[in-house]
Amino acid sequence: MIAKLKARIPQIEFRSSRTEEAPSPITTYYLILVPVISLIIVGFIMVFSASTVRVIAQGENPYFAYVRNLLIMGAGVAFMLISMRIPQGFWRAVSPWVFLVTLGMQFLVGTSLGVASGGNTNWIQFPGIPFLIQPSESLKVGMAMFIGWVLTKRTVDRRNPVHVGVNVGIPLMFALGGVMLGHDLGTALIFVALAVGALAAAGIPEKWFLILGGVGSLFVAFALFSNQSRLARVISVLPGFRKPPDMSAPEQGDHALWALGSGGLTGVGPGASKEKWNYLAEAHTDFIFAILGEEMGLIGTMFVVVTFGVLVYGFYRLMTNHSSDYARIVTGGIGMWIGAQALVNMGAVVGLTPIIGVPLPLISTGGSAFIATCVGLGVVLSFARQDTGMEKAFGIRTLLRNPRK
């Protein structure tokens, strides 16, 4: 039987499973796909629960508002399904154009099209379009794809700091400048994490990251000391500086911890949260993890934490074993973006990191964020589907099931 298989598909190398060193590409694919589906389902439930009170307070029908969220989620899933079926060569070819278009859109926040909310100008609204667009979310996808494209050009030496600085550093500075034009330091830090993940996947010498860390620290320090509100939020989470809650005027972090504490092990039940009743101002976005903990308890929060951990591990497996440099670099960037953003969001809810206003990927309410994240995940899944090793594995399984075909 084995001899016949070798004769019919000689390009496949048969090795014993005990001596196989490379991880199964099919397992890697599902280590990404299954957590993504699981998180979308959790978001499907929690968005309705966390946003109902806010919608009613605005005089709207919560079910009608939820239909809009369902349409957004449906669009995001559709884009992900389409993206994961597009060949890697197409993504690589359009990478610079995706980056330039999204970067151009980001700078529109500084024009009359920009819309401010909560102290940041993160959104734009085109005339005649009834919804807002957050260009920084799509720029994350464009940035990851661009770094992968530029670092795989034959004219770029990844071991040359000048080459990397010019080809990656300058575009990254433009992206950070566009984001800071809207005063959004939290999103800017996610961009830095994205770039670090992509550069690490590209095999950049480790000593360079010390230099990048020093430069980045100066940038963050300047951004913090130029805004007292940001500085206060950072100081509040440092050991020895955190103040006990003021019962007469508790802060958002206090309400978040109370929500988690009242949830206990199993939670108060879906829809039964008390903190979402205008105590947590951003219960449907930045603090949706707190509402999840209150309604689903420690079991629900640990499920989400573990699911994100499995997803990041899937990214790592793909990044370290894919046959394409471009796929590895882009996966490193997107994986660091999603992992860092999830960690920062959940860390802010439990008081370990400052509250910098970034949503929980795939769970928080948000049209631009959800769709952009789905597209980024679709790109990564397309790499996993089309990896040479994975195609061989699928070919073997199909032939074993139908040996006469």
Side-chain angles (χ1 to χ4, degrees), residues 180 185 188-189 192 212-232 234-235:
M180 290 305 296
L185 178 61
L189 294 177
V192 174
L212 291 174
V215 175
S217 298
L218 293 175
F219 166 77
V220 172
F222 173 78
L224 290 177
F225 284 99
S226 63
N227 186 300
Q228 292 301 312
S229 175
R230 292 176 188 153
L231 183 61
V234 172
I235 292 177

Side-chain angles (χ1 to χ4, degrees), residues 108-348:
L108 291 178
V109 300
T111 69
S112 59
L113 298 176
V115 177
S117 177
N120 295 338
T121 307
N122 293 340
W123 297 268
I124 57 175
Q125 185 168 26
F126 292 105
I129 297 180
F131 53 83
L132 301 177
I133 298 173
Q134 189 173 358
S136 60
E137 295 299 329
S138 55
L139 181 57
K140 293 174 185 175
V141 181
M143 188 81 250
M145 293 172 62
F146 177 82
I147 295 176
W149 172 78
V150 76
L151 289 182
T152 52
K153 293 176 63 178
R154 294 182 178 179
T155 55
V156 175
D157 181 4
R158 297 181 212 167
R159 298 283 174 174
N160 188 320
V162 176
H163 282 207
V164 176
V166 171
N167 290 280
V168 176
I170 294 178
L172 178 61
M173 288 298 105
F174 273 103
L176 291 175
V179 173
M180 290 305 296
L181 188 63
H183 310 289
D184 191 355
L185 178 61
T187 300
L189 294 177
I190 299 301
F191 269 87
V192 174
L194 182 155
V196 169
L199 291 173
I204 300 300
E206 294 180 2
K207 60 182 180 181
W208 294 8
F209 290 100
L210 297 175
I211 300 174
L212 291 174
V215 175
S217 298
L218 293 175
F219 166 77
V220 172
F222 173 78
L224 290 177
F225 284 99
S226 63
N227 186 300
Q228 292 301 312
S229 175
R230 292 176 188 153
L231 183 61
R233 278 181 282 174
V234 172
I235 292 177
S236 67
V237 300
L238 296 178
F241 288 91
R242 184 174 180 85
K243 299 179 181 179
D246 182 356
M247 301 303 293
S248 62
E251 300 180 353
Q252 292 294 288
D254 300 324
H255 283 293
L257 292 176
W258 292 340
L260 293 172
S262 61
L265 179 63
T266 59
V268 298
S273 166
K274 295 180 180 178
E275 291 296 336
K276 68 184 179 183
W277 287 83
N278 292 332
Y279 294 110
L280 279 170
E282 301 296 334
H284 59 300
T285 54
D286 300 350
F287 288 97
I288 198 169
F289 187 69
I291 305 303
L292 172 71
E294 185 178 7
E295 297 187 350
M296 303 297 181
L298 180 63
I299 294 176
T301 56
M302 289 307 300
F303 173 80
V304 171
V305 171
V306 171
T307 302
F308 272 114
V310 173
L311 177 60
V312 171
Y313 175 62
F315 285 136
Y316 175 77
R317 281 174 57 119
L318 184 63
M319 180 186 72
T320 54
N321 294 285
H322 201 282
S323 57
S324 164
D325 282 351
Y326 172 78
R328 287 199 298 270
I329 296 171
V330 175
T331 300
I334 293 177
M336 184 65 84
W337 150 30
I338 294 176
Q341 188 164 313
L343 190 63
V344 169
N345 177 278
M346 293 185 290

Side-chain angles (χ1 to χ4, degrees), residues 83 107 215 354:
S83 300
F107 276 96
V215 175

Side-chain angles (χ1 to χ4, degrees), residues 345-365:
N345 177 278
M346 293 185 290
V349 170
V350 300
L352 294 178
T353 61
I355 300 172
I356 59 176
V358 294
L360 188 58
L362 299 176
I363 296 180
S364 295
T365 305

